[in-house]
Amino acid sequence: QIFWINGALSYTYYGKNLKEVTPVYIRSKSETAKIQKTLDKNADKIVKKALEYDNVFERVLYLHDAVINSTTYIQSSDTYISYADGPLVYGYALCEGYSKAFTYLCQLIGVEAVNIMGYSGNSHMWSMVKLEGKWYHVDVTFDDPISEKPTLGHDYFGLTTKEISKTHTIDNPFPAPKATATKYNYFNAKGIKIYSKTNDAYSALVEEAVKNYKKKVYRTEVVCDSTIVTSVMMKINTNIFNDLARYGCYPSSGIYGQLGRSVYIELKP
């Protein structure tokens, strides 16, 4: 992973003739050597753990989660936040750092991966990975939303070009691969149902929460189509404790919220 140059070039002319082209370095030779050693060490630990899984989906998923769990999003700091050493050495990054670290780790385990440039509100970078010959979009940054508590989502793991285009605009220096496969979308691969109707999602959340509460598991979530998340949240706000009581479930209190398309409740006994 090249993290010691910024992608720009310096040109030296002799008269009108180009004499020399030199990369613009952002790290000294000694800094690069020191950072490279730490980056290799940390990447190797992650890769070894990923390779313990039997299939490529689980391996890439582990890399995705590892980058998120070791990184805090930050908008201003040293230049490293835009490079792979942001997540893999310092633990802080912008979207470029998230994407470059994830793409690099995928390449280390033999998975073809590229960084994609574009927009999502502002300039943005994410990744594409090739699994079993099919391309998928993965936005590690968007799966690490800023919140008071550390969060980890999978809404942006394994999207098609059509799906990613709902929130992202591709503006890449080379044509981005076309992604149409859905097999390794996170929710499809995990067999997680995505509810498209408000009442169905809400009923499933209540019934599962009651079952979990009896087992002393106090957090329950369901995954919804993005178009119904707000309406499900409104039903929780209005009805949740009365509906839990109908099943003989009487928590002392609880909180609810959303993470991407996931709607959750946390009950207190």
Side-chain angles (χ1 to χ4, degrees):
Q1 174 66 31
I2 299 174
F3 57 84
W4 55 89
I5 59 176
N6 69 358
L9 298 173
S10 173
Y11 301 92
T12 303
Y13 288 86
Y14 184 76
K16 294 183 179 180
N17 298 317
L18 180 62
K19 181 181 179 182
E20 186 178 65
V21 179
T22 307
V24 177
Y25 292 92
I26 56 175
R27 314 285 171 82
S28 68
K29 186 175 181 179
S30 60
E31 285 177 325
T32 298
K34 183 178 180 180
I35 295 168
Q36 186 73 65
K37 184 177 181 180
T38 304
L39 187 149
D40 290 345
K41 179 182 178 182
N42 292 341
D44 186 58
K45 288 180 181 178
I46 296 172
V47 165
K48 284 183 177 178
K49 187 68 176 178
L51 291 175
E52 292 179 5
Y53 291 91
D54 293 331
N55 64 74
V56 68
F57 166 76
E58 293 292 348
R59 290 175 179 179
V60 173
L61 179 61
Y62 180 83
L63 301 181
H64 166 279
D65 292 359
V67 171
I68 291 175
N69 288 333
S70 62
T71 309
T72 299
Y73 183 86
I74 189 171
Q75 292 183 315
S76 61
S77 185
D78 205 337
T79 55
Y80 66 74
I81 62 176
S82 295
Y83 297 89
D85 55 324
L88 296 176
V89 176
Y90 301 101
Y92 295 93
L94 280 169
C95 59
E96 294 97 328
Y98 277 86
S99 178
K100 291 173 183 177
F102 173 70
T103 297
Y104 174 57
L105 291 170
C106 287
Q107 292 168 348
L108 289 180
I109 67 168
V111 171
E112 190 173 351
V114 294
N115 298 314
I116 301 296
M117 297 174 64
Y119 301 90
S120 186
N122 299 310
S123 295
H124 190 52
M125 180 181 285
W126 64 98
S127 306
M128 292 190 74
V129 296
K130 195 174 188 180
L131 306 179
E132 293 186 351
K134 305 293 184 181
W135 285 99
Y136 297 83
H137 291 268
V138 180
D139 192 335
V140 183
T141 311
F142 271 39
D143 277 340
D144 189 17
I146 298 171
S147 64
E148 293 182 3
K149 295 182 180 180
T151 54
L152 169 63
H154 299 96
D155 282 356
Y156 290 87
F157 187 102
L159 299 188
T160 64
T161 298
K162 182 179 180 180
E163 289 170 331
I164 198 76
S165 295
K166 293 178 182 179
T167 52
H168 296 53
T169 299
I170 298 171
D171 187 17
N172 215 45
F174 58 87
K178 188 74 172 178
T180 59
T182 60
K183 178 180 179 180
Y184 288 126
N185 171 277
Y186 173 80
F187 299 108
N188 290 342
K190 289 290 190 180
I192 298 173
K193 183 173 182 177
I194 299 176
Y195 290 91
S196 58
K197 295 182 179 180
T198 299
N199 288 339
D200 290 347
Y202 176 75
S203 295
L205 182 67
V206 171
E207 292 171 12
E208 193 64 27
V210 171
K211 293 177 184 177
N212 286 342
Y213 191 83
K214 292 177 179 178
K215 295 184 290 186
K216 297 184 178 181
V217 175
Y218 301 119
R219 180 184 172 100
T220 303
E221 66 180 57
V222 294
V223 180
C224 309
D225 186 271
S226 59
T227 59
I228 69 166
V229 168
T230 299
S231 59
V232 174
M233 295 278 284
M234 290 175 64
K235 283 187 73 70
I236 294 172
N237 182 59
T238 305
N239 303 322
I240 189 65
F241 289 105
N242 288 335
D243 288 334
L244 289 171
R246 289 196 299 111
Y247 289 93
C249 180
Y250 300 97
S252 63
S253 63
I255 60 173
Y256 67 94
Q258 72 173 98
L259 175 59
R261 289 183 291 171
S262 297
V263 177
Y264 67 87
I265 55 174
E266 291 185 11
L267 304 176
K268 294 184 178 181

